Amino acid sequence: MLDWIKNINKEYPEFWKDYLSKFETKPNRFVVLSTETSGLNPDKDVILSLGAFSVVDDSIMIKDNFESVLLQYKFLQDNGLSNEFIIESKMVKMQESEALEAFINFIGNSILVGHHINFDIEMINSALERLDCGRLKNEALDVDMMYRKLTDINDKQFSLDDLCEIYKIPKSDRNSSAEDAYRISLLFLKLKSRLGIK
């Protein structure tokens, strides 16, 4: 009971209050996102990079994108992992708090799209918790689930590479969260039209 009262009176950061106010209107775009993480446990692992593209109607808005490497030196050192990824990356580098604030401002009330999106959302929610924010409120769509709904397959999950092969979307040599977000965007446009999603 006391935790519930504490949450009501909780003072959220300004960017989070601004984000929550955006849900008074209906979303007019999709944001396709991908994360690279240090592992698969949202309680212990962290986001290493985030990539996202905006999709409006039936177009990927290339200029309306988000890409960042999150500086997680302490986590990597504590876990004996190499900083090579962070040092060598040419992407914009930000502290976790700065990157999340920029990302939340970027997504607004958009409908989020991803490949196994629930994992990405849980990783983002864990990071938001460290900033004393709430959980994401955005609706979400998963391209794997969309494909399985379209083909009526319930007993199998498909990797991003599987789905790209099915829809003849070329694989890139550059392995990054932004590159994956772009491939997921192309997939999403194909699935969206076949499923009649507006």
Side-chain angles (χ1 to χ4, degrees):
M1 180 70 177
L2 289 175
D3 284 346
W4 183 76
I5 292 168
K6 259 193 278 181
N7 283 341
I8 282 186
N9 297 323
K10 193 171 184 177
E11 192 54 37
Y12 289 122
E14 279 310 309
F15 81 89
W16 188 254
K17 290 184 201 168
D18 185 47
Y19 163 75
L20 293 176
S21 72
K22 291 178 178 164
F23 287 87
E24 290 160 18
T25 57
K26 199 170 180 274
N28 62 357
R29 71 174 186 156
F30 297 91
V31 167
V32 182
L33 71 102
S34 180
T35 60
E36 279 187 83
T37 64
S38 61
L40 299 174
N41 184 336
D43 296 327
K44 292 182 182 154
D45 290 301
V46 292
I47 299 169
L48 299 175
S49 73
L50 261 170
F53 286 95
S54 172
V55 170
V56 177
D57 299 322
D58 293 319
S59 301
I60 301 168
M61 314 307 282
I62 297 296
K63 287 188 173 172
D64 189 16
N65 70 70
F66 182 91
E67 187 175 17
S68 177
V69 167
L70 280 66
L71 298 172
Q72 303 281 16
Y73 292 121
K74 185 181 180 327
F75 174 85
L76 293 172
Q77 284 166 350
D78 290 353
N79 291 280
L81 298 169
S82 160
N83 286 326
E84 214 173 305
F85 168 76
I86 291 173
I87 294 160
E88 287 185 5
S89 175
K90 306 262 186 289
M91 289 196 297
V92 175
K93 297 172 181 75
M94 297 184 202
Q95 297 295 335
E96 183 180 73
S97 57
E98 185 191 3
L100 276 167
E101 181 172 341
F103 183 69
I104 293 300
N105 291 336
F106 173 74
I107 64 172
N109 69 346
S110 302
I111 296 168
L112 303 179
V113 180
H115 180 263
H116 299 159
I117 186 87
N118 289 341
F119 171 72
D120 296 309
I121 288 172
E122 278 312 306
M123 288 301 294
I124 293 166
N125 282 337
S126 285
L128 285 168
E129 201 176 301
R130 290 191 285 277
L131 300 181
D132 289 326
C133 297
R135 297 171 66 80
L136 288 175
K137 287 181 53 127
N138 307 66
E139 287 178 57
L141 294 170
D142 186 309
V143 290
D144 180 32
M145 286 183 171
M146 289 170 74
Y147 177 71
R148 289 190 285 147
K149 181 176 180 176
L150 188 68
T151 54
D152 206 18
I153 297 171
N154 298 316
D155 57 348
K156 183 180 179 204
Q157 287 194 335
F158 294 85
S159 71
L160 181 54
D161 285 345
D162 290 341
L163 293 172
C164 286
E165 204 171 296
I166 291 164
Y167 285 101
K168 302 196 176 5
I169 293 167
K171 191 174 173 24
S172 164
D173 296 336
R174 185 172 162 252
N175 188 15
S176 73
S177 52
E179 192 61 44
D180 282 350
Y182 183 69
R183 290 167 69 212
I184 296 166
S185 300
L186 293 171
L187 259 175
F188 174 61
L189 288 178
K190 290 176 183 283
L191 291 164
K192 176 178 177 284
S193 69
R194 286 166 175 79
L195 288 166
I197 296 170
K198 294 285 175 231

